PDB file of all heavy atoms in Angstrom:
ATOM      1  N   LEU A 311      -7.004 -24.296 -20.645  1.00 95.00           N
ATOM      2  CA  LEU A 311      -8.275 -23.565 -20.711  1.00 95.00           C
ATOM      3  C   LEU A 311      -9.447 -24.472 -20.333  1.00 95.00           C
ATOM      4  O   LEU A 311     -10.337 -24.074 -19.570  1.00 95.00           O
ATOM      5  CB  LEU A 311      -8.478 -23.000 -22.118  1.00 95.00           C
ATOM      6  CG  LEU A 311      -7.653 -21.756 -22.485  1.00 95.00           C
ATOM      7  CD1 LEU A 311      -7.736 -21.473 -23.982  1.00 95.00           C
ATOM      8  CD2 LEU A 311      -8.126 -20.536 -21.691  1.00 95.00           C
ATOM      9  N   GLU A 312      -9.437 -25.700 -20.864  1.00 95.00           N
ATOM     10  CA  GLU A 312     -10.523 -26.640 -20.544  1.00 95.00           C
ATOM     11  C   GLU A 312     -10.517 -26.994 -19.057  1.00 95.00           C
ATOM     12  O   GLU A 312     -11.563 -27.051 -18.410  1.00 95.00           O
ATOM     13  CB  GLU A 312     -10.369 -27.917 -21.386  1.00 95.00           C
ATOM     14  CG  GLU A 312     -10.778 -27.735 -22.843  1.00 95.00           C
ATOM     15  CD  GLU A 312     -10.771 -29.054 -23.606  1.00 95.00           C
ATOM     16  OE1 GLU A 312      -9.690 -29.666 -23.712  1.00 95.00           O
ATOM     17  OE2 GLU A 312     -11.836 -29.465 -24.091  1.00 95.00           O
ATOM     18  N   TYR A 313      -9.323 -27.216 -18.526  1.00 95.00           N
ATOM     19  CA  TYR A 313      -9.191 -27.589 -17.113  1.00 95.00           C
ATOM     20  C   TYR A 313      -9.681 -26.458 -16.208  1.00 95.00           C
ATOM     21  O   TYR A 313     -10.455 -26.676 -15.272  1.00 95.00           O
ATOM     22  CB  TYR A 313      -7.719 -27.903 -16.811  1.00 95.00           C
ATOM     23  CG  TYR A 313      -7.469 -28.493 -15.445  1.00 95.00           C
ATOM     24  CD1 TYR A 313      -7.631 -29.851 -15.206  1.00 95.00           C
ATOM     25  CD2 TYR A 313      -7.047 -27.681 -14.394  1.00 95.00           C
ATOM     26  CE1 TYR A 313      -7.389 -30.401 -13.956  1.00 95.00           C
ATOM     27  CE2 TYR A 313      -6.811 -28.218 -13.131  1.00 95.00           C
ATOM     28  CZ  TYR A 313      -6.973 -29.581 -12.926  1.00 95.00           C
ATOM     29  OH  TYR A 313      -6.734 -30.108 -11.678  1.00 95.00           O
ATOM     30  N   ALA A 314      -9.244 -25.225 -16.507  1.00 95.00           N
ATOM     31  CA  ALA A 314      -9.658 -24.072 -15.700  1.00 95.00           C
ATOM     32  C   ALA A 314     -11.151 -23.817 -15.843  1.00 95.00           C
ATOM     33  O   ALA A 314     -11.825 -23.461 -14.862  1.00 95.00           O
ATOM     34  CB  ALA A 314      -8.863 -22.835 -16.121  1.00 95.00           C
ATOM     35  N   ASP A 315     -11.674 -23.997 -17.056  1.00 94.00           N
ATOM     36  CA  ASP A 315     -13.106 -23.791 -17.280  1.00 94.00           C
ATOM     37  C   ASP A 315     -13.936 -24.750 -16.423  1.00 94.00           C
ATOM     38  O   ASP A 315     -14.951 -24.371 -15.843  1.00 94.00           O
ATOM     39  CB  ASP A 315     -13.420 -24.010 -18.764  1.00 94.00           C
ATOM     40  CG  ASP A 315     -14.883 -23.708 -19.097  1.00 94.00           C
ATOM     41  OD1 ASP A 315     -15.311 -22.568 -18.872  1.00 94.00           O
ATOM     42  OD2 ASP A 315     -15.583 -24.631 -19.560  1.00 94.00           O
ATOM     43  N   GLU A 316     -13.458 -26.001 -16.312  1.00 94.00           N
ATOM     44  CA  GLU A 316     -14.168 -27.002 -15.494  1.00 94.00           C
ATOM     45  C   GLU A 316     -14.086 -26.637 -14.011  1.00 94.00           C
ATOM     46  O   GLU A 316     -15.092 -26.655 -13.294  1.00 94.00           O
ATOM     47  CB  GLU A 316     -13.546 -28.376 -15.739  1.00 94.00           C
ATOM     48  CG  GLU A 316     -14.151 -29.470 -14.858  1.00 94.00           C
ATOM     49  CD  GLU A 316     -13.329 -30.758 -14.909  1.00 94.00           C
ATOM     50  OE1 GLU A 316     -12.591 -30.967 -15.902  1.00 94.00           O
ATOM     51  OE2 GLU A 316     -13.414 -31.536 -13.948  1.00 94.00           O
ATOM     52  N   LYS A 317     -12.877 -26.272 -13.538  1.00 94.00           N
ATOM     53  CA  LYS A 317     -12.681 -26.006 -12.108  1.00 94.00           C
ATOM     54  C   LYS A 317     -13.343 -24.695 -11.674  1.00 94.00           C
ATOM     55  O   LYS A 317     -13.711 -24.544 -10.506  1.00 94.00           O
ATOM     56  CB  LYS A 317     -11.185 -25.945 -11.776  1.00 94.00           C
ATOM     57  CG  LYS A 317     -10.435 -27.254 -12.008  1.00 94.00           C
ATOM     58  CD  LYS A 317     -10.921 -28.342 -11.070  1.00 94.00           C
ATOM     59  CE  LYS A 317     -10.134 -29.637 -11.258  1.00 94.00           C
ATOM     60  NZ  LYS A 317     -10.649 -30.728 -10.405  1.00 94.00           N
ATOM     61  N   LEU A 318     -13.458 -23.734 -12.598  1.00 94.00           N
ATOM     62  CA  LEU A 318     -14.032 -22.427 -12.251  1.00 94.00           C
ATOM     63  C   LEU A 318     -15.495 -22.311 -12.683  1.00 94.00           C
ATOM     64  O   LEU A 318     -16.045 -21.197 -12.689  1.00 94.00           O
ATOM     65  CB  LEU A 318     -13.213 -21.298 -12.903  1.00 94.00           C
ATOM     66  CG  LEU A 318     -11.747 -21.176 -12.452  1.00 94.00           C
ATOM     67  CD1 LEU A 318     -11.012 -20.145 -13.297  1.00 94.00           C
ATOM     68  CD2 LEU A 318     -11.656 -20.816 -10.974  1.00 94.00           C
ATOM     69  N   ALA A 319     -16.091 -23.421 -13.051  1.00 92.00           N
ATOM     70  CA  ALA A 319     -17.486 -23.394 -13.526  1.00 92.00           C
ATOM     71  C   ALA A 319     -18.387 -22.727 -12.488  1.00 92.00           C
ATOM     72  O   ALA A 319     -18.334 -23.038 -11.302  1.00 92.00           O
ATOM     73  CB  ALA A 319     -17.965 -24.814 -13.806  1.00 92.00           C
ATOM     74  N   GLY A 320     -19.185 -21.772 -12.953  1.00 91.00           N
ATOM     75  CA  GLY A 320     -20.114 -21.072 -12.059  1.00 91.00           C
ATOM     76  C   GLY A 320     -19.515 -19.875 -11.344  1.00 91.00           C
ATOM     77  O   GLY A 320     -20.242 -19.084 -10.741  1.00 91.00           O
ATOM     78  N   LYS A 321     -18.189 -19.719 -11.407  1.00 93.00           N
ATOM     79  CA  LYS A 321     -17.543 -18.586 -10.746  1.00 93.00           C
ATOM     80  C   LYS A 321     -17.471 -17.410 -11.733  1.00 93.00           C
ATOM     81  O   LYS A 321     -17.076 -17.576 -12.887  1.00 93.00           O
ATOM     82  CB  LYS A 321     -16.147 -18.965 -10.281  1.00 93.00           C
ATOM     83  CG  LYS A 321     -16.121 -20.168  -9.346  1.00 93.00           C
ATOM     84  CD  LYS A 321     -15.459 -19.821  -8.077  1.00 93.00           C
ATOM     85  CE  LYS A 321     -15.425 -20.916  -7.022  1.00 93.00           C
ATOM     86  NZ  LYS A 321     -16.060 -22.159  -7.260  1.00 93.00           N
ATOM     87  N   THR A 322     -17.853 -16.226 -11.269  1.00 94.00           N
ATOM     88  CA  THR A 322     -17.896 -15.057 -12.154  1.00 94.00           C
ATOM     89  C   THR A 322     -17.150 -13.887 -11.540  1.00 94.00           C
ATOM     90  O   THR A 322     -16.868 -13.854 -10.343  1.00 94.00           O
ATOM     91  CB  THR A 322     -19.350 -14.627 -12.427  1.00 94.00           C
ATOM     92  OG1 THR A 322     -19.977 -14.313 -11.172  1.00 94.00           O
ATOM     93  CG2 THR A 322     -20.128 -15.734 -13.121  1.00 94.00           C
ATOM     94  N   ARG A 323     -16.866 -12.895 -12.397  1.00 94.00           N
ATOM     95  CA  ARG A 323     -16.263 -11.641 -11.952  1.00 94.00           C
ATOM     96  C   ARG A 323     -17.385 -10.686 -11.534  1.00 94.00           C
ATOM     97  O   ARG A 323     -18.569 -11.029 -11.612  1.00 94.00           O
ATOM     98  CB  ARG A 323     -15.420 -11.031 -13.075  1.00 94.00           C
ATOM     99  CG  ARG A 323     -14.355 -11.985 -13.611  1.00 94.00           C
ATOM    100  CD  ARG A 323     -13.446 -11.306 -14.603  1.00 94.00           C
ATOM    101  NE  ARG A 323     -12.443 -10.472 -13.926  1.00 94.00           N
ATOM    102  CZ  ARG A 323     -11.572  -9.688 -14.554  1.00 94.00           C
ATOM    103  NH1 ARG A 323     -11.622  -9.602 -15.877  1.00 94.00           N
ATOM    104  NH2 ARG A 323     -10.695  -8.980 -13.884  1.00 94.00           N
ATOM    105  N   TYR A 324     -17.014  -9.476 -11.145  1.00 93.00           N
ATOM    106  CA  TYR A 324     -17.998  -8.524 -10.642  1.00 93.00           C
ATOM    107  C   TYR A 324     -19.046  -8.138 -11.680  1.00 93.00           C
ATOM    108  O   TYR A 324     -20.158  -7.762 -11.330  1.00 93.00           O
ATOM    109  CB  TYR A 324     -17.288  -7.266 -10.119  1.00 93.00           C
ATOM    110  CG  TYR A 324     -16.578  -7.491  -8.813  1.00 93.00           C
ATOM    111  CD1 TYR A 324     -15.202  -7.679  -8.770  1.00 93.00           C
ATOM    112  CD2 TYR A 324     -17.277  -7.527  -7.606  1.00 93.00           C
ATOM    113  CE1 TYR A 324     -14.541  -7.891  -7.569  1.00 93.00           C
ATOM    114  CE2 TYR A 324     -16.628  -7.747  -6.401  1.00 93.00           C
ATOM    115  CZ  TYR A 324     -15.265  -7.922  -6.387  1.00 93.00           C
ATOM    116  OH  TYR A 324     -14.617  -8.129  -5.193  1.00 93.00           O
ATOM    117  N   ASP A 325     -18.697  -8.208 -12.969  1.00 92.00           N
ATOM    118  CA  ASP A 325     -19.665  -7.833 -14.003  1.00 92.00           C
ATOM    119  C   ASP A 325     -20.457  -9.031 -14.523  1.00 92.00           C
ATOM    120  O   ASP A 325     -21.194  -8.913 -15.508  1.00 92.00           O
ATOM    121  CB  ASP A 325     -18.952  -7.138 -15.167  1.00 92.00           C
ATOM    122  CG  ASP A 325     -17.971  -8.051 -15.883  1.00 92.00           C
ATOM    123  OD1 ASP A 325     -17.670  -9.147 -15.336  1.00 92.00           O
ATOM    124  OD2 ASP A 325     -17.495  -7.684 -16.975  1.00 92.00           O
ATOM    125  N   GLY A 326     -20.281 -10.199 -13.887  1.00 93.00           N
ATOM    126  CA  GLY A 326     -21.020 -11.386 -14.295  1.00 93.00           C
ATOM    127  C   GLY A 326     -20.320 -12.231 -15.341  1.00 93.00           C
ATOM    128  O   GLY A 326     -20.806 -13.306 -15.691  1.00 93.00           O
ATOM    129  N   SER A 327     -19.180 -11.781 -15.868  1.00 94.00           N
ATOM    130  CA  SER A 327     -18.446 -12.562 -16.862  1.00 94.00           C
ATOM    131  C   SER A 327     -17.722 -13.723 -16.173  1.00 94.00           C
ATOM    132  O   SER A 327     -17.446 -13.671 -14.982  1.00 94.00           O
ATOM    133  CB  SER A 327     -17.436 -11.676 -17.600  1.00 94.00           C
ATOM    134  OG  SER A 327     -16.510 -11.113 -16.684  1.00 94.00           O
ATOM    135  N   PRO A 328     -17.386 -14.801 -16.936  1.00 94.00           N
ATOM    136  CA  PRO A 328     -16.720 -15.958 -16.327  1.00 94.00           C
ATOM    137  C   PRO A 328     -15.386 -15.569 -15.694  1.00 94.00           C
ATOM    138  O   PRO A 328     -14.651 -14.728 -16.235  1.00 94.00           O
ATOM    139  CB  PRO A 328     -16.504 -16.910 -17.516  1.00 94.00           C
ATOM    140  CG  PRO A 328     -17.501 -16.490 -18.533  1.00 94.00           C
ATOM    141  CD  PRO A 328     -17.671 -15.012 -18.370  1.00 94.00           C
ATOM    142  N   MET A 329     -15.075 -16.189 -14.560  1.00 95.00           N
ATOM    143  CA  MET A 329     -13.806 -15.930 -13.881  1.00 95.00           C
ATOM    144  C   MET A 329     -12.615 -16.215 -14.790  1.00 95.00           C
ATOM    145  O   MET A 329     -11.575 -15.557 -14.708  1.00 95.00           O
ATOM    146  CB  MET A 329     -13.715 -16.801 -12.621  1.00 95.00           C
ATOM    147  CG  MET A 329     -12.428 -16.665 -11.824  1.00 95.00           C
ATOM    148  SD  MET A 329     -12.307 -15.080 -10.978  1.00 95.00           S
ATOM    149  CE  MET A 329     -13.431 -15.370  -9.620  1.00 95.00           C
ATOM    150  N   LEU A 330     -12.762 -17.188 -15.698  1.00 95.00           N
ATOM    151  CA  LEU A 330     -11.667 -17.566 -16.589  1.00 95.00           C
ATOM    152  C   LEU A 330     -11.262 -16.421 -17.514  1.00 95.00           C
ATOM    153  O   LEU A 330     -10.123 -16.392 -17.998  1.00 95.00           O
ATOM    154  CB  LEU A 330     -12.056 -18.810 -17.403  1.00 95.00           C
ATOM    155  CG  LEU A 330     -11.021 -19.365 -18.373  1.00 95.00           C
ATOM    156  CD1 LEU A 330      -9.690 -19.626 -17.693  1.00 95.00           C
ATOM    157  CD2 LEU A 330     -11.539 -20.641 -19.036  1.00 95.00           C
TER     158      LEU A 330
END
Side-chain angles (χ1 to χ4, degrees):
L311 284 168
E312 285 187 298
Y313 188 83
D315 184 59
E316 176 192 337
K317 297 295 182 183
L318 297 173
K321 303 236 177 357
T322 59
R323 305 186 78 185
Y324 287 101
D325 64 348
S327 60
M329 179 71 76
L330 181 53

